Amino acid sequence: MMKRHTKLLAALAVGAALAGCAGSAPDKAALTAEQTQLYTAQRADIDVSAVAEGSRGRKVSAEEIKAALESRSNLVKWRGGRTEAVVSIKVTSVNILSAGQSMMLGGESVMLGTVALLDARSGEPIVAPIEISSGGGGYYAGGIIGVMSLEDKNTELEQLAQQFMTRARLALTGPTTTAQTNIQEAKDGKGKV
């Protein structure tokens, strides 16, 4: 009897790890407010080569993942000083929760990757890569209710991209007034930096 419970707990722990968790938003900015004002970041380079096969779980292509992130690139751009910088985004993993995953364990769609800030002229790092994670529509309970409440895969991808780029900006500059304005405008479907 004890062996059976131990095996069940081990299986649940492995399942929870496979289901993934987006974790929390960055709570510390890499740049101070003064440093942020030295740079103008008007370009974001997005690399999805690590997910060339697309997402795990429900399938979304690497091209669709890149397009979703590019459509939100205004969230990581800003105008400051004379030094031109490039925001470098690298996506390392995308799991869009499938009905099977939700039925068995529940979980959350998750995108993992890094954000860095590079000097536009030299390519030298200003801010070394920082790990970023984002979640889709939140945690879905296991079982039939979890399956029934899943968003369609495109909606999940849009939510992942929105949160990933928001967290990337927070990791670089923190919750600056400009960042908050960009985030609100993106949510409202307005303007670009």
Side-chain angles (χ1 to χ4, degrees):
M1 184 72 151
M2 183 64 149
K3 271 187 168 181
R4 190 178 308 166
H5 288 298
T6 304
K7 285 181 181 180
L8 178 61
L9 288 174
L12 288 174
V14 168
L18 290 174
C21 177
S24 60
D27 59 359
K28 183 179 175 196
L31 299 171
T32 65
E34 294 78 24
Q35 290 171 321
T36 299
Q37 290 306 309
L38 298 174
Y39 303 104
T40 291
Q42 289 297 291
R43 191 174 98 218
D45 288 345
I46 298 169
D47 178 2
V48 295
S49 60
V51 293
E53 300 297 319
S55 63
R56 292 176 302 161
R58 287 183 283 165
K59 289 297 178 194
V60 174
S61 72
E63 293 81 25
E64 290 172 296
I65 294 166
K66 185 172 184 176
L69 291 165
E70 285 176 341
S71 74
R72 284 157 180 79
S73 65
N74 61 316
L75 293 173
V76 295
K77 297 175 185 177
W78 75 89
R79 288 194 181 280
R82 292 185 174 189
T83 304
E84 291 286 328
V86 176
V87 178
S88 175
I89 302 285
K90 293 188 179 183
V91 176
T92 56
S93 175
V94 178
N95 180 34
I96 298 182
L97 196 65
S98 71
Q101 291 168 321
S102 183
M103 183 66 161
M104 295 290 290
L105 305 163
E108 179 178 30
S109 295
V110 178
M111 183 180 291
L112 304 173
T114 62
V115 60
L117 189 65
L118 309 175
D119 184 283
R121 294 177 111 184
S122 68
E124 293 294 315
I126 297 165
V127 174
I130 302 167
E131 290 186 7
I132 301 292
S133 64
S134 68
Y139 186 87
Y140 291 97
I144 192 70
I145 292 175
V147 173
M148 290 172 42
S149 62
L150 282 176
E151 301 275 2
D152 70 85
K153 65 182 181 179
N154 294 324
T155 301
E156 288 281 324
L157 176 59
E158 297 300 318
Q159 292 169 348
L160 285 171
Q162 173 82 25
Q163 189 179 72
F164 191 90
M165 296 304 260
T166 300
R167 288 181 172 192
R169 176 62 186 262
L170 290 172
L172 292 174
T173 66
T176 65
T177 303
T178 304
Q180 294 302 329
T181 300
N182 291 350
I183 291 165
Q184 188 57 51
E185 285 179 352
K187 286 180 181 176
D188 295 341
K190 301 179 202 171
K192 292 190 177 190
V193 178

